């Protein structure tokens, strides 16, 4: 059954349905646009494991999901899916995250051929030993390139501190060592286990007729079914974080990452991420007095806040270039501990930040690729990215205060610093 959800204040109508084979379909027609983006998301990422034939969980090599993403573009008879998209006038790409893999394209208007191609090329894995070894060399070069990037070293270093001995400490592409462990069997088994219709979600945004698109999707999926046992996503096995660590690298100024590990949550990811962003922005964002004071020499415009929330992990990373990383880390932790005393923690400041986020949201409605990505990131049975304005309007300063109290009692922190050679 096709469910229609009207967002009158946004002038948007959102459709969603689950096909008989389990594929979830989400449609957001926008007739005022000339382009259309289609995004196919697989519930399979860098953290996921596989089931052995006896039902036990096997730890897969790091980088397996990313490797599979690369190889699926190789179609039968040596054809390249990305070139076929180009021939159809569509720009295509893909990415792998900790928990998802996504394939997408953008075309001028509705292209039934491009939509069919997106749905078809991920169904079959075409790979042999020669192709496997060739791809290993390509990804090995990609990994080496990351290792020369100090910002990458900072990010991976703080994650390794926060989540030791988990796959969060490893690059999504894997490592030189893990690449050697990826075999044809691992790739075929992971494709069989995860690339199944009941583990896929399809998002269409832009200029298309939803009835025509849905008919195309249903016909394409008519004989695509599976009876395999679904693979459960296991929680991370957490150990004590590393409190602080530093390395030396080829940089001109020290780099600091201050990380906070929070308990995983089964609550609304969209709301939790929104509340976390507001809380840290009100205390440390560029509109805060603290930021303005630190900007007088302690930090510069490299300052960034990254937030990740899921049912298996939740962390926040503050990263920055600073000549005094130890002093700044201590100042920030003290500021967070005494957040109620901050002159920035008030309703007027919250209203300012709320308007800023609402403005960002409204602008995202005019970027169909960004909108498709956001819809895919936050869609659940109960909630959509389009619900953000309602969540935003319901948030009060008391909600941020409650979050702050909970953070002080549950989060653990870590520091990772890069000093010049």
């Amino acid at each position: 059954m096709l469910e229609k959800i009207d967002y009158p204040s946004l002038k948007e109508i959102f459709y969603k349905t689950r096909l008989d084979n389990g594929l979830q379909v989400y449609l957001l027609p926008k007739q005022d646009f000339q382009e259309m983006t289609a995004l196919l998301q697989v519930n399979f990422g860098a953290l996921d494991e596989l089931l052995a034939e006896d039902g036990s969980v096997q730890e897969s090599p790091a980088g397996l999901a990313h490797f599979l993403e690369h190889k699926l573009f190789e179609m039968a008879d040596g054809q390249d899916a990305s070139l076929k998209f180009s021939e159809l006038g569509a720009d295509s790409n893909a990415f792998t995250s900790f928990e998802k893999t996504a394939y997408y394209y953008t075309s001028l208007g509705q292209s039934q051929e491009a939509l069919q191609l997106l749905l078809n090329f991920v169904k079959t894995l075409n790979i042999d030993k020669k192709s496997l070894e060739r791809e290993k060399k390509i990804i090995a070069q990609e990994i080496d390139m990351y290792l020369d990037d100090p910002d990458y070293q900072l990010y991976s270093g703080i994650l390794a501190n926060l989540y030791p001995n988990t796959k969060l400490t490893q690059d999504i592409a894997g490592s030189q060592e893990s690449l050697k462990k990826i075999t044809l069997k691992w790739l075929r088994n992971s494709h069989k286990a995860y690339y199944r219709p009941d583990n896929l979600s399809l998002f269409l945004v832009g200029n298309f007729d939803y009835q025509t698109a849905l008919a195309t999707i249903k016909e394409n999926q008519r004989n695509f079914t599976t009876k395999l046992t679904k693979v459960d996503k296991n929680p991370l096995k957490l150990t004590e974080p590393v409190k602080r660590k530093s390395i030396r690298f080829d940089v001109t100024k020290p780099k600091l990452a201050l990380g906070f590990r929070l308990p995983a949550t089964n609550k609304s990811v969209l709301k939790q991420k929104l509340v976390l962003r507001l809380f840290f922005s009100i205390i440390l964002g560029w509109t805060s007095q603290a930021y303005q004071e630190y900007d007088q020499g302690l930090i510069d415009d490299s300052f960034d806040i990254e937030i990740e929330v899921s049912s298996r992990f939740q962390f926040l990373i503050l990263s920055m270039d600073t000549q005094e990383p130890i002093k700044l880390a201590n100042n920030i932790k003290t500021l967070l501990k005494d957040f109620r005393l901050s002159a920035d923690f008030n309703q007027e400041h919250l209203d300012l930040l709320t308007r800023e986020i609402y403005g960002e949201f409204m602008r995202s409605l005019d970027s169909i690729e960004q909108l498709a990505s956001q819809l895919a990131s936050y869609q659940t049975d109960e909630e959509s990215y389009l619900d953000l304005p309602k969540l935003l309007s319901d948030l009060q300063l008391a909600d941020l205060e409650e979050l702050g109290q909970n953070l002080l009692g549950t989060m653990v922190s870590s520091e990772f610093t890069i000093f010049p050679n």
Side-chain angles (χ1 to χ4, degrees):
M1 177 180 176
L2 183 65
E3 182 180 353
K4 176 182 176 182
I5 307 172
D6 194 3
Y7 292 88
S9 63
L10 303 176
K11 298 180 181 179
E12 304 284 5
I13 298 178
F14 189 49
Y15 301 90
K16 66 178 183 177
T17 188
R18 183 188 294 269
L19 303 190
D20 291 340
N21 66 358
L23 175 68
Q24 297 184 93
V25 180
Y26 303 93
L27 309 171
L28 185 62
K30 295 172 73 72
Q31 302 305 332
D32 293 339
F33 285 71
Q34 294 184 329
E35 296 180 320
M36 183 196 90
T37 291
L39 185 151
L40 185 65
Q41 182 167 270
V42 188
N43 195 21
F44 176 45
L47 298 184
D48 295 316
E49 314 292 3
L50 289 180
L51 285 179
E53 294 179 0
D54 62 0
S56 62
V57 176
Q58 285 186 307
E59 184 176 351
S60 55
L64 182 64
H66 174 261
F67 202 106
L68 187 57
E69 171 221 310
H70 276 224
K71 296 314 295 176
L72 281 173
F73 276 91
E74 291 186 15
M75 303 173 68
D77 301 323
Q79 298 182 84
D80 187 321
S82 60
L83 292 179
K84 292 186 72 68
F85 275 116
S86 296
E87 291 169 3
L88 295 170
D91 293 325
S92 63
N93 212 329
F95 64 85
T96 303
S97 67
F98 289 124
E99 297 195 294
K100 310 286 184 182
T101 306
Y103 305 84
Y104 62 95
Y105 73 84
T106 298
S107 63
L108 188 63
Q110 182 170 340
S111 170
Q112 299 300 322
E113 295 85 356
L115 181 56
Q116 293 271 17
L117 177 59
L118 178 68
L119 292 168
N120 285 334
F121 86 89
V122 299
K123 291 178 182 177
T124 307
L125 176 62
N126 300 284
I127 188 170
D128 55 25
K129 183 70 173 177
K130 183 177 179 181
S131 173
L132 173 73
E133 296 306 320
R134 182 174 64 246
E135 192 64 38
K136 285 184 178 182
K137 292 179 181 178
I138 294 172
I139 296 179
Q141 292 176 346
E142 183 182 327
I143 293 171
D144 283 342
M145 183 176 62
Y146 294 151
L147 294 177
D148 292 332
D149 184 348
D151 290 324
Y152 168 81
Q153 291 287 348
L154 188 69
Y155 181 75
S156 59
I158 191 62
L159 276 185
N161 278 8
L162 292 172
Y163 295 93
N165 305 314
T166 72
K167 280 194 174 180
L168 280 171
T169 69
Q170 302 179 63
D171 187 84
I172 287 171
S175 64
Q176 302 290 358
E177 292 71 28
S178 69
L179 281 178
K180 298 174 184 177
K181 300 176 183 177
I182 294 178
T183 62
L184 294 177
K185 184 176 181 180
W186 271 117
L187 290 166
R188 288 168 179 157
N189 286 349
S190 61
H191 183 263
K192 183 178 179 181
Y194 287 103
Y195 281 71
R196 39 190 288 165
D198 60 345
N199 204 44
L200 305 178
S201 301
L202 177 66
F203 296 83
L204 268 61
V205 178
N207 186 358
F208 65 93
D209 178 78
Y210 78 91
Q211 292 175 318
T212 302
L214 187 57
T216 298
I217 296 163
K218 286 182 175 179
E219 176 60 26
N220 178 278
Q221 295 290 301
R222 190 158 52 89
N223 297 315
F224 185 34
T225 59
T226 181
K227 295 181 180 179
L228 293 172
T229 302
K230 196 164 186 177
V231 180
D232 292 329
K233 291 181 175 285
N234 296 310
L236 296 177
K237 296 178 181 178
L238 300 181
T239 57
E240 283 295 313
V242 178
K243 290 298 182 182
R244 59 181 53 85
K245 187 176 180 180
S246 64
I247 62 171
R248 293 197 173 271
F249 208 75
D250 187 17
V251 293
T252 57
K253 182 190 289 188
K255 290 179 174 289
L256 169 68
L258 188 56
F260 301 92
R261 189 179 87 186
L262 295 81
T265 179
N266 290 316
K267 298 178 182 178
S268 160
V269 170
L270 181 59
K271 182 178 180 180
Q272 181 71 358
K273 201 165 185 178
L274 195 58
V275 175
L276 280 169
R277 177 180 172 182
L278 284 168
F279 177 80
F280 277 85
S281 294
I282 209 169
I283 302 297
L284 282 165
W286 69 274
T287 57
S288 69
Q289 292 183 27
Y291 180 90
Q292 300 305 321
E293 292 172 5
Y294 294 157
D295 198 27
Q296 304 303 310
L298 269 182
I299 60 174
D300 54 26
D301 58 7
S302 65
F303 181 82
D304 187 48
I305 302 175
E306 177 168 343
I307 303 168
E308 291 289 345
V309 179
S310 89
S311 60
R312 289 192 283 178
F313 58 86
Q314 187 176 187
F315 62 82
L316 184 141
I317 297 173
L318 307 175
S319 58
M320 63 216 79
D321 295 351
T322 175
Q323 294 289 5
E324 300 184 68
I326 297 174
K327 177 182 178 180
L328 185 56
N330 290 333
N331 285 357
I332 290 174
K333 285 190 279 190
T334 299
L335 188 64
L336 292 173
K337 181 181 177 182
D338 299 329
F339 74 91
R340 294 183 195 83
L341 304 178
S342 170
D344 290 306
F345 199 77
N346 58 67
Q347 188 64 47
E348 183 180 358
H349 195 186
L350 175 59
D351 292 342
L352 172 66
L353 292 170
T354 297
R355 290 193 296 271
E356 179 184 324
I357 293 175
Y358 181 77
E360 289 178 7
F361 169 81
M362 294 304 296
R363 289 190 293 275
S364 76
L365 298 182
D366 292 332
S367 172
I368 59 171
E369 277 194 11
Q370 180 185 358
L371 183 52
S373 177
Q374 296 288 57
L375 287 170
S377 296
Y378 297 111
Q379 187 65 47
T380 66
D381 290 340
E382 300 81 23
E383 194 171 70
S384 165
Y385 173 65
L386 298 176
D387 294 316
L388 187 146
K390 175 67 168 58
L391 292 173
L392 202 56
S393 65
D394 289 344
L395 284 175
Q396 303 296 322
L397 193 65
D399 296 314
L400 300 193
E401 184 171 4
E402 180 182 355
L403 174 78
Q405 291 173 331
N406 291 335
L407 288 179
L408 292 178
T410 60
M411 73 180 182
V412 292
S413 65
S414 178
E415 302 167 28
F416 188 86
T417 310
I418 297 179
F419 291 103
N421 284 328

